[in-house]
Amino acid sequence: MKKEYEVIKENGKEVDRKLVTEEVVEKAEDKIVAVGTKVVTAQVSRGTTSSSAPSSSAREFYVSATAYTAFCNGCSGVTATGIDLRANPNSKVIAVDPSVIPLGTKVWVEGYGYAVAADTGSAIKGNKIDLFFSSKSDALAFGRKNVLIKILD
């Protein structure tokens, strides 16, 4: 974005500034470059936006999805691959059956966005996944849904 201003100074100090022209030089592209400062064992590429679906060349299928949180009674908050979800509450992690989706696989989940398969669960068998949410209320609000998942690896 190129912006031109008319600046009025009195005694060397700026007293007024008015926008004269505004021109788009190059269209902006939204993307997440990095989140936080802690090094996480698994990184997820989120593409240009978290809501855009990946290309149709990825393997895709429908799964039954539920939600979970690291902040519940008896929960350790550490995934099967060692990610501390309590220390990284903005992580996009799903729990999977490793015989269906191998741990470490990057995925896109309809209504959730880009994530990494980094956890397992005793009830996660076959075409089922569990989505991580940082709050219990968000996890309960998600409920159970059939969603499209796309394997990116």
Side-chain angles (χ1 to χ4, degrees):
M1 186 67 83
K2 179 183 173 185
K3 297 179 181 182
E4 289 185 27
Y5 292 91
E6 179 182 313
V7 179
I8 299 173
K9 292 185 176 185
E10 289 180 4
N11 298 325
K13 293 186 180 180
E14 185 177 319
V15 292
D16 191 27
R17 177 181 290 249
K18 292 180 184 174
L19 181 62
V20 179
T21 63
E22 189 173 52
E23 177 185 345
V24 176
V25 177
E26 184 178 330
K27 191 168 182 158
E29 181 181 318
D30 294 336
K31 72 178 184 178
I32 297 172
V33 177
V35 177
T37 58
K38 184 172 175 134
V39 176
V40 180
T41 56
Q43 285 291 12
V44 179
S45 170
R46 289 179 168 76
T48 57
T49 65
S50 61
S51 62
S52 65
S55 70
S56 60
S57 64
R59 186 176 74 126
E60 58 186 65
F61 51 96
Y62 282 90
V63 294
S64 175
T66 53
Y68 74 106
T69 183
F71 300 95
C72 64
N73 293 335
C75 297
S76 71
V78 179
T79 69
T81 58
I83 298 173
D84 185 346
L85 296 174
R86 291 181 180 182
N88 298 285
N90 294 324
S91 296
K92 290 286 206 159
V93 169
I94 64 171
V96 298
D97 178 343
S99 68
V100 177
I101 302 170
L103 290 174
T105 301
K106 294 173 186 171
V107 298
W108 177 85
V109 181
E110 177 182 32
Y112 187 70
Y114 291 90
V116 65
D119 207 358
T120 58
S122 59
I124 308 301
K125 303 292 182 214
N127 284 4
K128 292 183 180 179
I129 62 172
D130 215 359
L131 309 174
F132 169 71
F133 285 91
S134 58
S135 75
K136 185 175 182 178
S137 61
D138 288 344
L140 290 171
F142 181 84
R144 177 184 305 269
K145 299 176 184 173
N146 285 327
V147 298
L148 180 67
I149 186 169
K150 296 186 181 192
I151 307 299
L152 304 178
D153 287 341

